[in-house]
């Protein structure tokens, strides 16, 4: 195992992702598409808890954020798109739902800054010694 003690941020964010997965699963009883959001949130919670696959974890957060923002902007400012407005909005909505839905969008606001190099969540995803390993002189 590459970490001995989980940082508090990891515990808090993983718990919030798990709670969000449960909420989305409950919503899934009424709208089945939200089961995908629940599954994605659960996978994200597991990736964070274990500290594996930083690129996948961060990629899902970024796709979720971009699709949510694009959805809002197209619905708000997309009058000039004509009939394509609804097609684009539909694709962005499906993309957002498949990558964790609106709850992931809210949680990503706090997690993305912490995933930059030198920050706590970034360090959690790095193998033990990778951050402190330096070439040794012969």
């Amino acid at each position: 195992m590459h970490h001995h003690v989980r940082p508090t941020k990891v515990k808090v964010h993983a718990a919030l992702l798990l709670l969000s997965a449960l909420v989305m699963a409950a919503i899934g009883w009424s709208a089945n598409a939200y089961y995908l959001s629940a599954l994605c949130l659960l996978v994200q919670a597991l990736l964070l808890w274990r500290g594996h696959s930083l690129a996948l974890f961060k990629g899902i957060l970024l796709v979720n954020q971009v699709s949510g923002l694009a959805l809002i902007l197209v619905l708000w400012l997309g009058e000039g798109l004509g009939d394509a407005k609804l097609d684009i909005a539909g694709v962005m909505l499906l993309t957002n739902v498949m990558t964790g839905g609106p709850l992931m969008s809210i949680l990503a606001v706090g997690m993305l800054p912490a995933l930059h190099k030198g920050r706590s969540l970034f360090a959690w995803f790095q193998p033990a010694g990778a951050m402190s390993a330096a070439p040794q002189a012969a």
Side-chain angles (χ1 to χ4, degrees):
M1 180 164 195
H2 66 80
H3 300 290
H4 293 25
V5 178
R6 280 184 182 79
T8 303
K9 274 192 175 185
V10 170
K11 292 175 185 177
V12 169
H13 285 296
L16 289 172
L17 286 166
L18 182 59
L19 180 63
S20 297
L22 294 172
V23 169
M24 284 297 187
I27 294 171
W29 287 357
S30 299
N32 290 338
Y34 286 106
Y35 285 133
L36 289 172
S37 296
L39 181 61
C40 183
L41 286 158
L42 181 61
V43 167
Q44 289 287 83
L46 290 173
L47 289 175
L48 179 58
W49 187 257
R50 298 196 60 192
H52 292 298
S53 303
L54 175 62
L56 176 62
F57 184 82
K58 192 173 183 178
I60 290 171
L61 291 177
L62 289 172
V63 169
N64 178 276
Q65 289 291 289
V66 169
S67 64
L69 181 60
L71 174 62
I72 291 168
L73 290 175
V74 165
L75 291 175
W76 179 34
L77 303 171
E79 294 303 321
L81 297 173
D83 290 340
K85 174 183 176 178
L86 294 179
D87 293 336
I88 295 168
V91 169
M92 292 300 106
L93 178 62
L94 287 174
T95 302
N96 188 266
V97 167
M98 290 187 325
T99 57
L103 293 180
M104 179 77 83
S105 296
I106 293 167
L107 294 174
V109 170
M111 286 188 283
L112 279 171
L115 289 171
H116 292 296
K117 191 172 185 176
R119 299 287 178 97
S120 58
L121 290 184
F122 178 82
W124 172 248
F125 279 96
Q126 303 310 309
M131 298 289 285
S132 61
Q136 296 180 0

